[in-house]
Amino acid sequence: MSTIISTRPETAPAAGAARRPRRRLARRLEPVAYIAPAFVALALIVGYPVFNAIGTSFLHANLTRPGQDTFAGLANYTDLFTSATFWTVTARTLLWAGSALVVQVGLGLVIATTLNKRLVARGAIRTTLIVPWVVPTVLVALIWRFLLDPVSGPINGLLRSSGLLETPPIWLADPTWALPVLVLISAWKWTPFTAVILLAGMQQIPGEQYEAAMVDGASAWQRFLHVTIPGIRASLALVTLTTISGAINNFNGIWMFTRGGPVGATEILTTYAYRTAFMEFDFGKASAISVVIFAIMMVLAVTYFYVVEGRKGDRR
């Protein structure tokens, strides 16, 4: 009588054990497979222009001499950093971004705090508030150029008829008034976005914290400083990042109104780069300016993730 020896019971567990690590690896790689196409597309759409600009910034590239680009080393950056115009434009860019931050976040806090209370028709007010944000920049330019028209504009007409100013300034053509007016127009468009983000943060604060503060005798101002502000710290960091980066990159918001004028009073880094590239045809220098703007954006982004996301990780 022969004896049949089966190895299946012994090899089956071994085969199953070998398959389990592969399954775990497949499950871990599955999310990567979902985002890979988007990541590749983003790398092509964003990554290529960035690296191309960085490469061009090291060349003598002028549109008047097509096909004759030569290696410039750090010459474009040296010319840029030794130029008084560049530092003047950089200072104005920081002033523009800082002013936008103060006005937009200040007004956003006031609006968000008001809308966080029980109001009649609060939903309708919120809907109306968001309208300026969704208006295209081109339409914003048309609206405000009409309102600020020195001859037939309603604003100057109101100032004259009320006796406040006999001869109102030509707002967008006056070097003194052009930049402040653009800051206010930018605030009109972007403050609703800031208010919505801050309002969302305020609505995440538990009501028990306000009740406890009221029991302790805290005034409305003290509750705002010690309950609301700490509770919306992440939202404040987000709107700070988006406001500063948006202002620095806000090419359309200036070019459609003043083109960087009058006499350079509203020139910022983005309009300076555009003027250098497409009016002076110096693509090498324009790319160097773009790299500087990119470096500023990277510093802002890294600061945000270090301050906000890093603290979240420490709390976990």
Side-chain angles (χ1 to χ4, degrees):
M1 184 174 68
S2 61
T3 302
I4 300 175
I5 300 176
S6 175
T7 59
R8 183 176 297 175
E10 298 177 0
T11 57
R19 282 196 294 267
R20 277 195 292 271
R22 289 197 294 268
R23 289 174 182 172
R24 285 197 294 266
L25 180 61
R27 282 197 296 268
R28 290 177 181 175
L29 293 178
E30 186 176 0
V32 178
Y34 288 133
I35 67 172
F39 182 80
V40 171
L42 187 64
L44 293 175
I45 295 172
V46 177
Y48 173 75
V50 168
F51 287 107
N52 185 62
I54 293 173
T56 307
S57 69
F58 294 102
L59 300 176
H60 287 301
N62 197 299
L63 201 61
T64 60
R65 299 189 303 273
Q68 300 180 28
D69 300 347
T70 57
F71 182 68
L74 296 176
N76 289 320
Y77 292 96
T78 302
D79 292 344
L80 205 60
F81 295 142
T82 56
S83 169
T85 302
F86 169 75
W87 291 112
T88 301
V89 171
T90 302
R92 189 179 299 111
T93 302
L94 297 177
L95 175 63
W96 158 257
S99 302
L101 177 66
V102 171
V103 175
Q104 292 178 33
V105 174
L107 290 176
L109 280 171
V110 172
I111 295 170
T113 304
T114 304
L115 292 179
N116 198 36
K117 301 175 181 177
R118 291 185 177 88
L119 299 174
V120 178
R122 184 169 61 175
I125 295 174
R126 290 179 181 178
T127 304
T128 305
L129 172 70
I130 211 71
V131 170
W133 178 42
V134 299
V135 174
T137 306
V138 175
L139 188 56
V140 171
L142 292 175
I143 292 171
W144 280 98
R145 287 179 73 89
F146 165 72
L147 293 174
L148 295 171
D149 188 274
V151 178
S152 58
I155 292 178
N156 278 7
L158 181 62
L159 291 174
R160 281 191 292 263
S161 61
S162 63
L164 293 174
L165 288 175
E166 293 183 4
T167 55
I170 305 175
W171 302 103
L172 296 176
D174 190 323
T176 303
W177 287 102
L179 189 63
V181 167
L182 289 182
V183 169
L184 294 177
I185 294 173
S186 177
W188 177 83
K189 177 171 174 57
W190 293 105
T191 297
F193 171 79
T194 302
V196 168
I197 298 297
L198 294 177
L199 178 60
M202 290 179 184
Q203 292 181 339
Q204 301 301 315
I205 302 174
E208 292 81 3
Q209 294 186 14
Y210 289 104
E211 294 172 3
M214 292 176 68
V215 170
D216 291 339
S219 64
W221 177 247
Q222 289 172 327
R223 293 196 300 273
F224 178 76
L225 285 180
H226 300 293
V227 178
T228 303
I229 294 299
I232 61 171
R233 186 175 293 132
S235 299
L236 280 172
L238 177 61
V239 297
T240 298
L241 173 66
T242 55
T243 301
I244 294 177
S245 60
I248 293 175
N249 284 303
N250 192 3
F251 171 80
N252 292 338
I254 287 184
W255 193 260
M256 291 182 179
F257 285 98
T258 62
R259 296 178 179 264
V263 293
T266 59
E267 189 88 278
I268 63 173
L269 285 172
T270 50
T271 59
Y272 184 43
Y274 179 87
R275 191 182 304 280
T276 302
F278 298 105
M279 295 185 178
E280 300 176 10
F281 307 116
D282 191 344
F283 275 38
K285 185 177 177 181
S287 296
I289 300 170
S290 300
V291 171
V292 171
I293 298 172
F294 178 74
I296 295 173
M297 295 297 102
M298 289 299 297
V299 169
L300 290 174
V302 169
T303 302
Y304 169 78
F305 282 105
Y306 176 77
V307 172
V308 178
E309 301 298 334
R311 287 182 178 176
K312 289 181 181 178
D314 293 340
R315 284 196 291 270
R316 294 192 191 100

